[in-house]
Amino acid sequence: MAIATNLGFPRIGAKRELKKATEAYWKNQISEAELITAGKDIRKNNWLLQKDAGLDHIPVGDFSFYDHVLDMSALLGCVPARYNWDGTAITSDLYFAMARGNQTAPAMEMTKWFNTNYHYIVPEFERIDNLKLSSSKIFDEIQEAQDLGITPRPVILGPLSYIGLGKIKAANLTKKDILAAIKPLYGEILKRFKAMGIEWVQIDEPLLITDISDEVRQAYRETYAWLKAQSDIKILLATYFEDLGSNTDLALNLDIDGLHIDTKRGPKQVDYIIDNLPKGRSLSLGLVDGRNIWRSDLTAAIELAEKAVESTGSSRLMIAPSCSMLHSPVDLDSEETLDVEIKSWLAFAKQKVNEIALITKAVNEGVEAIEAELKDNQAALQTRKTSARIHNPDVKKRASKVNSEMSQRKSNFAAREKIQADLYKLPAFPTTTIGSFPQTADIRAARAAYKKGDLARDRYVETMRKEIESVVRYQEEIDIDVLVHGEAERNDMVEYFGEHLEGFAFTKFGWVQSYGSRYVKPPIIFGDVSRPKPMTVEWSRYAQSLTNRPMKGMLTGPVTIMFWSFIRDDQPLSDTCRQIALAIRDEVSDLEAAGVTMIQIDEPAIREGLPIHQDKWAAYLKWAVECFKLSACGVADTTQIHTHMCYSEFNDIIESIAALDADVISIETSRSQMELLDAFADYAYPNHIGPGVYDIHSPRIPSEEEMTALLKKACAVLKAEQIWVNPDCGLKTRGWEEVRPALENMVKSAKFMRREYSAIKAA
Ligand code: GLN
Ligand code: ZN
């Protein structure tokens, strides 16, 4: 019999119970005992839901109060010295201090979990002599599940992925040393699982889908052979997010009992793996997409499962989601106001669990056993294929006519630079901001009331116009050179555009954990994207009408809109992106026609789409760059295109950033003390660039001197004529009491630089 399994269920609760509990605990509103109970309730719901749906193997250890990588650090006792840990069991307060920092010690670093929007807490390796099992969480949870009559399959992050995701913080410490120190702890964990009556353990090794060195490969072979010898517990090694690529044979031949593969993001590996699976090995097929919200094609999934059965035999086949459902919203049933037709195309975690059970049932009992469900599934897929709400012939036709000329500015940058200098007559080191100003409680209240229908359109417009006027006057007053309207009308830089475009749907409870208690609710791109009418023009036109200084129109770029949404799986990403690009292109033209001739197109997510395997980068970057340019290039040479990027590594895609050919790019750099600029300098980045001088993620107010020091650093690697002066990112999360002095210092710093610079020029 094939086995119905899961790799992980969302831990946040259908109504964000985890967020409520942890945040209340942080504010001292509930006790630790109440927090623990809240966690227990979520786990119990999740387990029983999966059991009732018919899953045979139910993950335990997927729940976390903050992050599962941090849980692993707690389990192994890998605690940085700055938290003054006494070496006893790790308490909730110590755990949260590592995640969020406390009065005396800053938080551990956080970074993106592979190519997802989930952020994990980066392990820090300072010493290895004190590592030891230091948390009973996973063992307690196994017991808890067993008490509820659940057959748990504990899930832990594998040793090589754990080390690979961490950072070494001590000289002389090597990854090899760390592995030698934690391997016995993993052995101990497995033995304890076994003693608790566990049959299977799921060890996640997503590092295996990345390009690893021969040394790491060898470490994989040795580690798993060693672990196998410690206990006769069955090991399911889980890989996901891409195909195994050049590590396929390595994974196939490790000393393990089962291998999980992602058939959704790694479809090409499936046949080879089925054909080459060693005898006696179980195969876990990730057939249901764990990171997107589309209903599965059950017929296709069953076919693939049956094909696998021919080589594994049914008892060695596990039916699974492609990856943990951590990345998917919890329950579609909560969406009472979502359009019924769109809803019929979707599946959230709870529905995905049902799909897994159905596929398994069909494999075990024949498709007749799920006849009614299969019919319903096929009907839904059929309407999705043909629905006029998805397929807009005009959009498809227009996209098919896109040509390379449309992605080229009329003149090259050198020519544009001159034309724009003559036209705008900006001083050296021009000052600007990234777009948003503080979103005050009043602004939020007005937006919410308008959305609910409690505030009439003209009253709302009036309120927003007042806000725009006040930020315009403020910027003039402190003498900023290029103004922004402040984005008061926007709840979110993607949702705002989604709401104004055709082809997007929105959920009420479709939350996904981004990090800790921060969740996002991405819009769903379900159909061909078009722009029924201008989206930002009235606000920007109004803002420009208030001032003689240039006003930047403010747009989110096509790549970012796409990657911060749930994406269609029924056409190539590049097609979806191109459609969004055309909609933004129209917005750019309308802004230009309305006299807004500086236009910023934000692309902070451009690196997010980067495939994991480097050999696929070029293809991605080619269409991503082309889509940005398609949105930006339909303008006159006099129109100045800005772009903005932040909070990711740009060094390795600098060529593509240059290829965007934006007249001006603003980029986050202050935290790294301008380190990021080295890439721009090495590459001799030709266009204008505003390296951020004000870290907007911190409440600290930088002084004039500090910002000047950063600008001088920038001058050392860039030409002064290239440099703009701006914060790292938008100011919407900050308060006015911080923003005012910081921006005033920023303008002073720019003016200082101007004087220095003209003195140098004169000399
Ligand atoms: N224009 C946006 C803002 O200022 C940019 C935000 C971002 O890069 N994340 O808020
Ligand atoms: Zn930003």
Side-chain angles (χ1 to χ4, degrees):
M1 294 278 270
I3 300 165
T5 70
N6 190 8
L7 262 53
F9 196 83
R11 55 182 75 130
I12 62 177
K15 295 278 152 65
R16 292 186 287 162
E17 288 85 349
L18 182 64
K19 179 187 180 71
K20 287 169 198 152
T22 46
E23 290 184 351
Y25 178 70
W26 296 336
K27 289 187 204 138
N28 280 322
Q29 289 164 348
I30 64 168
S31 67
E32 185 178 21
E34 286 169 296
L35 174 70
I36 289 170
T37 305
K40 252 189 192 148
D41 290 343
I42 295 173
R43 291 193 291 272
K44 182 174 164 191
N45 277 334
N46 290 354
W47 291 334
L48 293 179
L49 179 155
Q50 296 174 79
K51 183 178 183 225
D52 293 345
L55 294 201
D56 304 300
H57 288 180
I58 294 175
V60 169
D62 53 344
F63 175 82
S64 173
F65 278 111
Y66 202 96
D67 163 47
H68 54 274
V69 182
L70 181 60
D71 290 356
M72 206 60 221
S73 293
L75 179 55
L76 301 174
C78 187
V79 180
R82 64 180 180 278
Y83 300 106
N84 297 318
W85 178 42
D86 62 6
T88 61
I90 288 173
T91 61
S92 301
D93 289 341
L94 171 58
Y95 176 82
F96 288 129
M98 290 161 77
R100 314 171 61 230
N102 60 18
Q103 272 75 32
T104 51
M108 292 170 73
E109 206 178 305
M110 181 168 79
T111 195
K112 275 189 185 190
W113 178 244
F114 298 89
N115 55 3
T116 72
N117 205 4
Y118 176 81
H119 302 69
Y120 70 93
I121 302 289
V122 180
E124 291 177 25
F125 303 110
E126 293 174 346
R127 54 190 275 204
I128 49 174
D129 56 314
N130 63 345
L131 298 179
K132 61 173 202 285
L133 295 191
S134 303
S135 159
S136 62
K137 175 182 175 284
I138 192 157
F139 308 110
D140 298 343
E141 288 176 3
I142 290 171
Q143 187 60 55
E144 206 178 295
Q146 287 170 333
D147 291 346
L148 286 166
I150 304 287
T151 306
R153 187 172 81 188
V155 40
I156 53 175
L157 182 60
L160 289 141
S161 294
Y162 178 72
I163 296 171
L165 293 171
K167 275 196 180 160
I168 297 182
K169 298 275 167 144
N172 303 328
L173 198 58
T174 67
K175 294 202 165 171
K176 240 187 173 146
D177 303 332
I178 302 166
L179 181 59
I182 69 172
K183 212 164 68 174
L185 302 182
Y186 273 86
E188 216 178 296
I189 295 169
L190 298 189
K191 279 184 202 153
R192 281 184 68 176
F193 286 165
K194 182 73 191 175
M196 294 184 83
I198 299 296
E199 184 191 4
W200 280 94
V201 57
Q202 171 189 328
I203 303 187
D204 283 5
E205 284 285 10
L207 190 76
L208 268 176
I209 52 130
T210 65
D211 302 313
I212 51 174
S213 66
D214 285 342
E215 205 184 339
V216 177
R217 285 167 205 261
Q218 188 51 26
Y220 264 108
R221 285 185 205 101
E222 286 168 14
T223 304
Y224 280 88
W226 187 87
L227 285 175
K228 187 78 232 166
Q230 302 309 301
S231 150
D232 56 355
I233 198 166
K234 291 185 182 152
I235 294 176
L236 175 73
L237 187 111
T239 67
Y240 36 79
F241 299 153
E242 248 192 72
D243 56 63
L244 281 154
S246 54
N247 299 327
T248 305
D249 287 323
L250 169 70
L252 280 169
N253 294 305
L254 289 176
D255 240 329
I256 50 176
D257 302 278
L259 177 66
H260 171 84
I261 56 165
D262 183 339
T263 76
K264 290 286 148 190
R265 291 192 176 230
K268 282 198 223 112
Q269 63 185 347
V270 181
D271 286 343
Y272 182 85
I273 287 181
I274 290 177
D275 292 343
N276 292 282
L277 197 72
K279 265 216 152 19
R281 181 76 48 94
S282 289
L283 179 64
S284 168
L285 273 187
L287 293 168
V288 170
D289 197 335
R291 320 180 29 170
N292 212 334
I293 38 66
W294 304 107
R295 216 163 149 174
S296 299
D297 180 344
L298 291 182
T299 315
I302 294 165
E303 244 169 59
L304 193 54
E306 281 172 344
K307 189 167 170 224
V309 165
E310 283 170 29
S311 82
T312 59
S314 71
S315 65
R316 294 199 195 285
L317 182 67
M318 299 177 183
I319 309 295
S322 59
C323 60
S324 167
M325 294 181 192
L326 170 65
H327 312 289
S328 136
V330 181
D331 184 5
L332 185 63
D333 295 340
S334 310
E335 300 299 330
E336 282 164 2
T337 51
L338 190 63
D339 175 276
V340 273
E341 189 181 17
I342 294 174
K343 202 171 161 180
S344 77
W345 301 327
L346 306 180
F348 294 177
K350 180 175 160 199
Q351 290 69 36
K352 289 174 193 289
V353 165
N354 279 324
E355 292 183 339
I356 290 169
L358 286 170
I359 297 165
T360 312
K361 194 165 181 195
V363 172
N364 289 334
E365 299 170 28
V367 282
E368 314 78 55
I370 62 159
E371 204 186 324
E373 290 91 342
L374 205 52
K375 263 212 180 107
D376 176 56
N377 178 266
Q378 286 162 342
L381 295 181
Q382 192 52 35
T383 64
R384 202 179 149 211
K385 263 194 199 115
T386 52
S387 170
R389 305 177 58 187
I390 292 186
H391 304 279
N392 179 335
D394 294 339
V395 174
K396 290 194 200 319
K397 195 163 150 203
R398 185 170 175 214
S400 73
K401 290 202 172 127
V402 166
N403 59 45
S404 55
E405 226 166 90
M406 291 166 76
S407 303
Q408 284 310 323
R409 293 293 293 266
K410 292 176 183 63
S411 308
N412 64 22
F413 177 71
R416 293 187 329 254
E417 184 182 32
K418 191 160 182 323
I419 293 168
Q420 292 169 14
D422 291 345
L423 178 64
Y424 296 112
K425 301 199 167 40
L426 294 171
F429 300 100
T431 51
T432 189
T433 61
I434 308 304
S436 56
F437 270 103
Q439 291 240 333
T440 59
D442 286 353
I443 296 175
R444 286 175 211 272
R447 253 196 347 251
Y450 172 57
K451 208 167 182 181
K452 261 173 92 192
D454 293 347
L455 185 66
R457 171 86 197 163
D458 23 326
R459 292 275 314 170
Y460 170 72
V461 171
E462 204 182 300
T463 313
M464 292 298 133
R465 284 188 165 204
K466 265 208 191 111
E467 182 61 31
I468 292 173
E469 174 156 20
S470 99
V471 299
V472 168
R473 293 296 165 248
Y474 169 70
Q475 294 169 89
E476 286 178 335
E477 209 178 283
I478 66 164
D479 206 12
I480 297 225
D481 301 303
V482 172
L483 310 196
V484 298
H485 77 285
E487 300 181 29
E489 78 287 5
R490 302 184 192 173
N491 34 356
D492 171 277
M493 67 186 287
V494 171
E495 196 171 45
Y496 179 83
F497 289 92
E499 282 172 347
H500 287 80
L501 291 166
E502 295 289 335
F504 283 75
F506 298 88
T507 64
K508 272 223 163 79
F509 301 102
W511 298 98
V512 177
Q513 188 178 24
S514 170
Y515 64 89
S517 69
R518 278 287 290 268
Y519 309 159
V520 293
K521 194 155 63 67
I524 296 170
I525 306 176
F526 68 88
D528 289 335
V529 174
S530 61
R531 189 195 68 143
K533 53 179 198 283
M535 306 182 278
T536 64
V537 177
E538 278 323 304
W539 302 121
S540 288
R541 188 208 307 269
Y542 174 70
Q544 181 68 84
S545 77
L546 298 171
T547 180
N548 292 325
R549 300 183 185 220
M551 172 68 57
K552 282 192 286 188
M554 203 49 69
L555 305 174
T556 304
V559 181
T560 299
I561 291 183
M562 183 168 83
F563 283 118
W564 287 356
S565 302
F566 284 116
I567 315 179
R568 290 175 71 168
D569 63 352
D570 59 347
Q571 67 183 15
L573 298 186
S574 53
D575 288 4
T576 302
C577 200
R578 198 165 295 122
Q579 292 179 356
I580 305 171
L582 286 167
I584 300 294
R585 180 182 175 93
D586 293 346
E587 188 73 11
V588 168
S589 296
D590 286 345
L591 281 169
E592 183 182 48
V596 180
T597 59
M598 287 193 185
I599 301 168
Q600 178 174 314
I601 307 174
D602 293 331
E603 283 290 20
I606 198 144
R607 203 179 190 288
E608 232 147 274
L610 215 53
I612 287 168
H613 291 304
Q614 287 225 11
D615 57 1
K616 296 181 186 153
W617 282 19
Y620 161 71
L621 287 167
K622 183 168 183 289
W623 64 252
V625 167
E626 184 207 300
C627 285
F628 174 87
K629 294 181 78 179
L630 182 58
S631 71
C633 289
V635 292
D637 288 339
T638 45
T639 293
Q640 187 170 72
I641 297 290
H642 293 231
T643 189
H644 165 70
M645 287 174 199
C646 50
Y647 303 99
S648 54
E649 274 290 324
F650 295 111
N651 297 18
D652 49 8
I653 59 164
I654 182 74
E655 246 170 277
S656 300
I657 293 175
L660 298 177
D661 196 24
D663 296 301
V664 185
I665 183 172
S666 59
I667 194 158
E668 163 266 331
T669 38
S670 78
R671 232 179 229 199
S672 66
Q673 294 290 310
M674 300 276 149
E675 231 171 65
L676 248 164
L677 277 191
D678 291 346
F680 285 82
D682 293 345
Y683 185 73
Y685 183 77
N687 301 13
H688 287 190
I689 171 166
V693 291
Y694 165 22
D695 174 10
I696 62 90
H697 280 86
S698 161
R700 260 190 83 248
I701 297 159
S703 66
E704 178 193 335
E705 293 72 26
E706 235 173 277
M707 292 195 259
T708 301
L710 289 175
L711 286 171
K712 285 188 171 162
K713 271 193 171 176
C715 283
V717 291
L718 298 164
K719 285 182 289 183
E721 299 78 23
Q722 283 181 286
I723 299 175
W724 284 57
V725 179
N726 47 256
D728 269 345
C729 191
L731 302 166
K732 74 172 172 210
T733 56
R734 297 263 66 92
W736 274 109
E737 65 292 350
E738 301 150 2
V739 163
R740 276 200 197 93
L743 290 185
E744 283 154 33
N745 290 346
M746 183 184 93
V747 173
K748 280 188 209 149
S749 168
K751 288 184 176 169
F752 173 87
M753 291 299 291
R754 270 169 219 163
R755 288 193 299 269
E756 287 264 293
Y757 171 67
S758 53
I760 294 169
K761 258 188 133 177

